[in-house]
Amino acid sequence: MPTDNEFTRILQWPGYRVYQHKIDEKNKILELWVRRKRGNRKLECSGCGRKFDDAYDSNERAVRDLPWSAFQTTVHIEVYRVKCADCGVRIEKVPLLPSKAPFSKRFEDAVGEACESASARQVARRFRLAESTVRSIDLRYLERWAGSRRRPALHQMGVDEIYMGKKGKFLTVVCNLETAEPLWFGRERKKETLNDFLGEELSGRQRRGIEAVCVDMWKPYRLSIEQWLPQCRIVYDKFHVMQHANRAVDEVRRAEFFRQGKRMRELVKGKRWLLLSRWVNLTGGKRQELNQLFALNRKMLKAYLLKESLDRLWTYHYEGAMLNYLERWIDQLRWQRLEPFQNLAKMLLEHLDGILNYCRTKVRLGVVEAVNGNIKSLLRRGRGYQNLRYLLLKAQRMAATRTEFVVFTKAA
Ligand SMILES: [Zn+2]
């Protein structure tokens, strides 16, 4: 039978020694009782950090620790309270116990790390915990991580919205374009929404440090940016413009779908994804399918080509060349009677300055899209993101560790 001394050596809780243990072989439970080692007598107030020699009283807490072999392990620890002049009677600070919850820090870290690559449900099964418990542990783990790291400076910002379904409506997502990290989430997508971030989350100095914002051609955002960041450049980036172009293609598709007879309807059916894909990303078979469709419907072909050619706008790095290309692109629309594209052209002309800003300020393309994609994949994978703070920390951690940065690698 191992001695308490040997248990102490395996447990490795700095400053603590095992003075009692119990092994339940049938239920595979190991229990250890620990208290401070002789040299470890200074108590620290958890409120203010002041040191004390004497305790006010003591208490025993049971926390779950990492398992030993097949044994689930519980550690009973003696915790003191101190009588602090500033904080009153307070619990001492114990680094091994990060919260009031009955778990040791390293147990919480293990759960948090597991949550980085698996769903809360899977982690819950593995650790034999409730799913809600796993989420609270993960949230604390992420808060500790966020609290311990330095925030990179913000020079270029992305603003986007994510549709969360009928109930959740829209989520405004602000990200740092240089680090590809989400910074803030706000409910809805009004001017006031973005005001909350720009006006309240950022200091005057931080606001002045922002040189460019990539954003959708969505008026409320623009108004907020003009109010709070008068010096910064608004860039209507490729991702957002192409979203509108895709929408125009889709409108043409729907109009044709309803206008045409049954045969055409069969052909257009299920082609939405194909029409929204870029030609270069399609395999031979898929191209064939599209060509069949185009052979029968010239309008679809025209719409598709217009979208494809608009994409090339961002290959130009000189303002004049970019403008020239855009004008030629708009010229092609004449006599085409493609109303969705006429509207798109009008929109582009109204936002011309912000589109050309791409040539004046270098911004990373594809970042907003990647951040957006990562958040969507988190939302798809797990429920329980009613807590936006949790969703944000999760997405930040994902960006920092580059786990599953799928969309980003594809776009880069
Ligand atoms: Zn204190």
Side-chain angles (χ1 to χ4, degrees), residues 45 48 84 87:
C45 169
C48 62
C84 175
C87 313

Side-chain angles (χ1 to χ4, degrees), residues 45-50 52 82 84-88 90:
C45 169
S46 61
C48 62
R50 186 177 296 175
F52 292 86
V82 295
C84 175
D86 291 328
C87 313
R90 269 258 184 176

Side-chain angles (χ1 to χ4, degrees), residues 80-331:
Y80 296 94
R81 288 199 299 173
V82 295
K83 197 171 182 183
C84 175
D86 291 328
C87 313
V89 176
R90 269 258 184 176
I91 195 112
E92 64 161 328
K93 187 178 170 193
V94 186
L96 299 163
L97 307 179
S99 79
K100 285 182 181 143
F103 307 105
S104 70
K105 178 167 182 299
R106 63 188 185 187
F107 181 80
E108 293 209 339
D109 287 350
V111 172
E113 273 161 35
C115 285
E116 272 165 22
S117 49
S119 72
R121 191 171 3 126
Q122 289 166 312
V123 176
R125 207 181 308 138
R126 204 171 109 200
F127 285 83
R128 284 187 278 165
L129 292 165
E131 214 177 305
S132 58
T133 310
V134 168
R135 278 199 215 97
S136 334
I137 292 177
D138 191 24
L139 179 57
R140 286 195 295 272
Y141 165 79
L142 292 167
E143 288 285 9
R144 283 197 292 278
W145 167 74
S148 68
R149 77 197 190 107
R150 269 187 55 200
R151 281 302 189 89
L154 179 60
H155 304 299
Q156 298 190 342
M157 191 175 101
V159 181
D160 195 20
E161 87 255 340
I162 289 183
Y163 183 61
M164 308 259 286
K166 281 203 183 94
K167 236 175 101 194
K169 301 254 176 76
F170 284 96
L171 186 68
T172 293
V173 176
V174 175
C175 66
N176 184 332
L177 286 184
E178 286 163 304
T179 60
E181 177 193 354
L183 297 176
W184 184 83
F185 292 159
R187 295 216 186 264
E188 301 193 79
R189 50 166 182 169
K190 299 175 179 162
K191 176 172 183 265
E192 291 76 20
T193 317
L194 194 53
N195 283 352
D196 280 347
F197 176 74
L198 296 176
E200 283 168 37
E201 297 284 317
L202 297 182
S203 68
R205 227 190 78 210
Q206 284 174 310
R207 281 195 292 270
R208 283 189 295 280
I210 299 176
E211 58 185 34
V213 183
C214 272
V215 67
D216 188 22
M217 296 176 280
W218 173 249
K219 197 172 167 197
Y221 288 158
R222 195 194 80 218
L223 294 177
S224 173
I225 293 165
E226 284 171 353
Q227 177 185 342
W228 289 101
L229 308 171
Q231 84 296 341
C232 103
R233 274 200 174 133
I234 293 181
V235 182
Y236 297 119
D237 61 316
K238 180 175 170 177
F239 168 61
H240 283 118
V241 174
M242 289 311 291
Q243 268 184 340
H244 288 279
N246 273 325
R247 231 166 278 159
V249 170
D250 205 37
E251 273 179 53
V252 174
R253 181 190 64 94
R254 257 179 292 152
E256 291 304 289
F257 183 85
F258 286 115
R259 205 170 59 85
Q260 303 278 347
K262 192 164 174 283
R263 180 155 169 259
M264 190 62 200
R265 236 171 265 175
E266 285 304 311
L267 208 68
V268 179
K269 214 183 201 167
K271 295 287 190 299
R272 181 171 183 274
W273 174 83
L274 272 184
L275 285 163
L276 301 188
S277 299
R278 301 231 24 226
W279 189 256
V280 289
N281 297 333
L282 293 176
T283 59
K286 297 290 173 197
R287 287 180 181 183
Q288 187 76 38
E289 273 185 56
L290 271 186
N291 276 331
Q292 273 176 343
L293 173 65
F294 295 153
L296 288 164
N297 190 308
R298 214 183 140 270
K299 270 199 169 173
M300 285 308 330
L301 169 66
K302 196 67 209 171
Y304 188 79
L305 289 178
L306 283 167
K307 180 204 58 154
E308 283 285 295
S309 60
L310 185 61
D311 197 277
R312 280 201 291 279
L313 188 59
W314 289 269
T315 55
Y316 293 94
H317 299 279
Y318 295 102
E319 223 177 295
M322 197 183 196
L323 180 60
N324 193 10
Y325 186 83
L326 185 62
E327 279 170 346
R328 272 187 293 143
W329 186 84
I330 291 172
D331 278 346

